[in-house]
Amino acid sequence: MKSPTLPYSKDLVLVGGGHTHAMVLRKWAMQPLPGARLTVINPAPTAPYSGMLPGFLAGHYSREELDIDLVRLARLAGARLILGKAIGIDIQRKCIKVSGRPDIAFDTASVDIGITSDLPDLKGFTDCAVPAKPLGPFAQAWQNYLSKSGPASVAVIGGGVAGVEITMALAHALKSRGRAAKIHLIERKSVLEGLRSASKTKLLARLSDFSVHLHEHSHVQDITGTGITLQNKEFIPAEFICGAAGARAQDWLTQTGLDLHEGFIAISPTLQSSQPEVFATGDCAHMTASPRPKAGVYAVRQAPVLYENLRRQLAGRGDLVSYSPQTDYLKLISLGGKSALGERFGMVFQGSAIWKLKNHIDQSFMAKFRDLTVPKPEKLPSPRALGAAEVLGNKPLCGGCGSKIGQSALARSLQTLPATARRDVTTLPGDDAALIQTGGVKQVMTTDHLRAFVEDPVTMTRIAANHALGDIWAMGALPQAATATLILPRMSELLAERTLREIMQAAHACMAEAGAAIVGGHSSFGSEMTIGFGITGLCNKTPITLSGAHPGHHLILTKPVGSGVVMAADMQGLAKGAWVSNAMAQMQVSQAKASQLLSNASAMTDVTGFGLVGHVMNICQNSNCGATLWLDKVPLLDGALNLSEQGVRSTLFLQNREILPEAPQCARADLMFDPQTAGGLLAAIPENAEETLERLRAEGYEAAIIGEMTDQIGHISISEST
């Protein structure tokens, strides 16, 4: 994370990752408004581009080509991306409600959440069919069905242009796979009603080429897992059922208090709603002064106007600009194969050249989000002290445990300290927590803090809390009490209050779930966000330390490794958003249940900044053992091996690798030295390791037996399993 050029004084919140907001994010990355904190809320780390959906369904594009990576885009724009579904707007309190997290306050907000083609009132639709919008779940559902083999049966509900285009794409994909298919298109009126006759004739001919069965003036009665029953009692067998019957607004908009038109947010030419501080754009909005059909071309062309008006609103200016939509636009409709139909000003044209034109337009749009360049670091001052450039390095300093001081330097500094003189305090060998005995009660105490590597304070708090709790859980203790230590980048008092509210609500939830109470803390402003916790825990029995392992004990790891590499790649703009969001999710997984299931461990620690090998070495040195790690058994985070093969390394990697210089030189082996944040528990299990592993996996942990202790004291070998 980097500090803002000016203290934050205003909050801008973009609700949804639609086409307009994606374009605004890109513009913001090139020219942000100093003093404005930008937040983006979206259910997923990517946002599919609707223009390429038919091509994806037909098999012309991969899923990756379809998606705009919001994680990379938000990182470039310096925005905090909140992965969650917006479920409401409180216009009185000026906050956005998001499922599963504290409310998000705003000074200015914009809504771009698209539409849905869900048909909840249609019996059986929710359980047995998939709406064409939102696009993400639909694309995934079709990908899953297409990967199957054997005869196919498909039904599309809705015979408008979108339904017809989808039908042709599905038919082409099945034909290309060599799967015999029966495809049905159901429309309660006439198929392609309202379309110009010349275009309609050509599209109907194309449907006929695919042997699509048309059911016009047909009403669906109910849907089951085997097909559709029409009101005339005709039964249509179908395994894959898609709803493309028109566009519906998201239901939660009716509860916002904003003026609506048929469920869509009514907006003025300046793209403002009935509440001037709330803007709306794209398909979820209705342009009251100049109504237009739902089409991506309008969303894209609203982007420059929205970007400019958001900046002016945040700056307190009243001279907002107006958006004037065009009266007609080039309509391009995919015909299944690499052919398309075009229509404008009453003229109709068709063929492969039209598909090439459409592909060029779509690829040009997506190129704006694929070719994202991370800004180069500023030039170093000259003259400068000898060695300063080498200390800085050529990569940004990692956050989390990747920014720790190296193990060797830390050990040397701690060796200079005298042993404690207190009889009630026991410093345990190699452990991060101390044992305090008061009146027969065994209490452990630890502290940890993290330099933020994600802009969302709630996500960062959850990660920091689980990271700090790891020391308590690793000793088999039960969390008792916690204090919070918070450093925020400089911002206005109001924004600081908003941020602290989010952090403390998240911290309270995490600690309460772990059984601990937050009893106090300290906060201050600084150069960047840092979140830490001091925690105490209670031991009902002798704490599990690093010193009880014996040769033959198996090593169990409860989480995959690779978070350091993934987050380092994220900072450099090299990681896919899906990899980053998966790593974030893993770092928020509680180890409370795992600690209970590993209560029979002879030695245990949590894997953090010194990497897997570093923490295995701690067990070896304190238990007078050695260890063998089975490289192919160590679970890895999605994308970690790919990034390691590209040469991506975390800041602390080189120091960690010094622990075992003779280790194999390969990308997978290097991940054994990758610094972890909120990593898994590493336990030496004296017996019944397989049974313990099964219980961990039953609780949802991506756990594995990764090696065993040996009698070669202080020696770690890394090899493939036998």
Side-chain angles (χ1 to χ4, degrees):
M1 287 179 58
K2 61 181 181 181
S3 301
T5 55
L6 282 178
Y8 290 134
S9 60
K10 293 291 182 181
D11 268 321
L12 169 61
V13 179
L14 304 182
V15 184
H19 303 350
T20 314
H21 280 177
M23 293 290 288
V24 168
L25 267 175
R26 184 176 179 274
K27 287 178 171 292
W28 196 275
M30 294 185 287
Q31 189 177 2
L33 179 67
R37 178 169 63 177
L38 177 59
T39 300
V40 186
I41 304 168
N42 198 66
T46 59
Y49 170 49
S50 60
M52 295 176 75
L53 177 67
F56 162 77
L57 298 174
H60 307 316
Y61 306 121
S62 68
R63 178 59 196 277
E64 188 173 333
E65 289 178 287
L66 180 69
D67 288 335
I68 297 172
D69 194 326
L70 294 177
V71 174
R72 291 183 63 205
L73 196 55
R75 170 71 75 177
L76 190 65
R80 56 175 186 166
L81 174 62
I82 292 169
L83 297 179
K85 181 177 174 57
I87 56 175
I89 300 176
D90 188 328
I91 57 177
Q92 300 301 322
R93 294 176 51 236
K94 297 181 69 173
C95 65
I96 310 296
K97 297 183 177 297
V98 179
S99 180
R101 62 159 291 142
D103 295 347
I104 301 161
F106 66 86
D107 296 292
T108 300
S110 178
V111 184
D112 183 13
I113 57 174
I115 55 177
T116 178
S117 52
D118 190 14
L119 300 169
D121 297 331
L122 193 56
K123 184 179 178 182
F125 185 91
T126 301
D127 295 328
C128 304
V130 57
K133 290 191 175 183
L135 301 182
F138 173 51
Q140 188 60 54
W142 173 245
Q143 201 167 28
N144 294 340
Y145 182 74
L146 187 62
S147 65
K148 298 178 180 179
S149 58
S153 54
V154 173
V156 178
I157 303 172
V161 171
V164 168
E165 193 173 22
I166 288 171
T167 300
M168 293 186 293
L170 304 187
H172 176 83
L174 291 168
K175 184 178 180 180
S176 299
R177 291 289 184 103
R179 293 180 63 183
K182 290 187 177 180
I183 300 177
H184 301 265
L185 179 61
I186 304 167
E187 170 56 44
R188 61 181 179 177
K189 298 179 181 178
S190 296
V191 171
L192 296 170
E193 187 171 276
L195 196 67
R196 287 189 174 96
S197 59
S199 297
K200 181 175 180 178
T201 299
K202 291 180 180 294
L203 292 174
L204 289 174
R206 189 61 177 152
L207 289 172
S208 179
D209 292 341
F210 283 118
S211 300
V212 174
H213 300 273
L214 299 183
H215 302 266
E216 298 183 285
H217 307 288
S218 299
H219 295 262
V220 176
Q221 179 173 299
D222 64 66
I223 300 172
T224 66
T226 58
I228 297 173
T229 301
L230 301 179
Q231 287 184 1
N232 64 6
K233 304 307 178 184
E234 179 185 357
F235 180 73
I236 301 172
E239 298 170 333
F240 184 85
I241 301 170
C242 161
R248 291 179 55 251
Q250 304 281 355
D251 291 336
W252 63 266
L253 293 178
T254 60
Q255 306 300 317
T256 60
L258 300 173
D259 289 351
L260 306 178
H261 175 83
E262 297 180 352
F264 301 98
I265 301 174
I267 58 172
S268 68
T270 57
L271 308 181
Q272 290 170 289
S273 70
S274 53
Q275 294 292 321
E277 67 274 13
V278 178
F279 293 71
T281 185
D283 287 349
C284 71
H286 173 76
M287 295 179 282
T288 55
S290 50
R292 293 291 188 273
K294 304 300 181 187
V297 64
Y298 298 118
V300 171
R301 296 190 178 185
Q302 286 171 341
V305 175
L306 179 65
Y307 168 74
E308 183 60 33
N309 282 349
L310 291 174
R311 291 172 62 87
R312 295 187 183 195
Q313 179 84 0
L314 290 163
R317 294 174 55 179
D319 56 335
L320 304 192
V321 297
S322 295
Y323 168 68
S324 299
Q326 62 207 85
T327 56
D328 194 14
Y329 63 95
L330 176 62
K331 303 174 184 67
L332 296 171
I333 303 170
S334 295
L335 300 177
K338 291 187 177 181
S339 178
L341 180 144
E343 178 189 293
R344 190 169 192 188
F345 301 132
M347 296 184 293
V348 178
F349 20 88
Q350 176 183 338
S352 60
I354 307 306
W355 188 88
K356 290 179 181 178
L357 172 63
K358 175 175 170 52
N359 179 60
H360 173 73
I361 293 171
D362 291 336
Q363 296 286 9
S364 297
F365 177 77
M366 290 299 289
K368 299 177 187 294
F369 307 103
R370 293 179 186 139
D371 305 330
L372 300 175
T373 303
V374 176
K376 294 181 179 180
E378 297 179 3
K379 290 184 177 181
L380 298 179
S382 184
R384 57 180 177 270
L386 184 66
E390 289 71 20
V391 173
L392 183 64
N394 59 359
K395 296 177 182 178
L397 177 66
C398 290
C401 258
S403 60
K404 287 183 70 168
I405 295 172
Q407 190 172 23
S408 299
L410 182 62
R412 289 192 297 269
S413 65
L414 293 179
Q415 286 173 357
T416 64
L417 299 179
T420 178
R422 293 191 62 96
R423 299 178 62 183
D424 56 351
V425 176
T426 304
T427 54
L428 301 172
D431 276 304
D432 291 330
L435 174 63
I436 303 171
Q437 301 192 59
T438 306
V441 176
K442 297 184 179 70
Q443 186 182 52
V444 294
M445 182 175 69
T446 187
T447 185
D448 228 319
H449 72 265
L450 296 176
R451 175 177 181 263
F453 51 83
V454 57
E455 299 281 353
D456 176 18
V458 171
T459 296
M460 197 63 234
T461 299
R462 290 169 176 167
I463 292 172
N466 279 290
H467 183 80
L469 285 163
D471 290 333
I472 303 296
W473 286 323
M475 300 183 74
L478 299 175
Q480 177 194 26
T483 57
T485 303
L486 310 175
I487 301 175
L488 301 181
R490 192 174 179 186
M491 60 185 70
S492 70
E493 184 176 349
L494 176 59
L495 265 66
E497 179 185 339
R498 292 172 177 174
T499 307
L500 287 172
R501 184 187 306 122
E502 289 187 49
I503 290 173
M504 293 311 298
Q505 286 183 14
H508 169 77
C510 286
M511 292 300 171
E513 181 184 5
I518 293 184
V519 296
H522 180 76
S523 62
S524 68
F525 288 120
S527 61
E528 57 189 359
M529 184 164 67
T530 300
I531 300 175
F533 296 94
I535 306 177
T536 61
L538 298 175
C539 293
N540 297 323
K541 58 179 184 178
T542 302
I544 302 172
T545 67
L546 299 173
S547 59
H550 293 281
H553 291 187
H554 283 93
L555 291 171
I556 286 183
L557 179 66
T558 62
K559 281 187 183 183
V561 302
S563 63
V565 160
V566 173
M567 299 317 301
D570 178 41
M571 294 181 70
Q572 298 170 48
L574 300 175
K576 295 180 182 179
W579 296 345
V580 176
S581 63
N582 176 66
M584 297 281 192
Q586 281 287 349
M587 286 185 273
Q588 295 175 68
V589 172
S590 167
Q591 298 293 286
K593 187 64 177 180
S595 176
Q596 297 173 22
L597 295 175
L598 295 169
S599 61
N600 65 327
S602 57
M604 187 156 64
T605 186
D606 58 330
V607 180
T608 54
F610 302 139
L612 178 60
V613 168
H615 290 281
V616 171
M617 183 63 80
N618 281 346
I619 292 179
C620 291
Q621 290 175 340
N622 289 281
S623 295
N624 293 318
C625 289
T628 294
L629 291 181
W630 299 322
L631 194 59
D632 56 325
K633 295 297 185 181
V634 178
L636 305 178
L637 286 171
D638 292 347
L641 183 58
N642 181 297
L643 293 167
S644 184
E645 289 172 341
Q646 294 179 45
V648 177
R649 300 291 183 270
S650 183
T651 309
L652 199 57
F653 167 76
L654 289 177
Q655 291 149 295
N656 284 352
R657 219 184 195 290
E658 291 174 358
I659 298 169
L660 198 66
E662 68 273 19
Q665 299 285 338
C666 67
R668 183 179 288 271
D670 281 354
L671 289 169
M672 304 304 103
F673 302 90
D674 186 51
Q676 303 302 288
T677 299
L681 295 177
L682 173 68
I685 305 298
E687 57 186 4
N688 302 321
E690 290 289 351
E691 294 179 15
T692 302
L693 180 64
E694 289 179 11
R695 290 196 294 269
L696 285 165
R697 289 179 172 174
E699 291 293 332
Y701 292 103
E702 294 184 36
I705 297 174
I706 63 166
E708 62 183 350
M709 305 303 295
T710 69
D711 58 4
Q712 299 181 33
I713 298 175
H715 177 72
I716 298 176
S717 65
I718 299 177
S719 63
E720 302 292 325
S721 62
T722 56

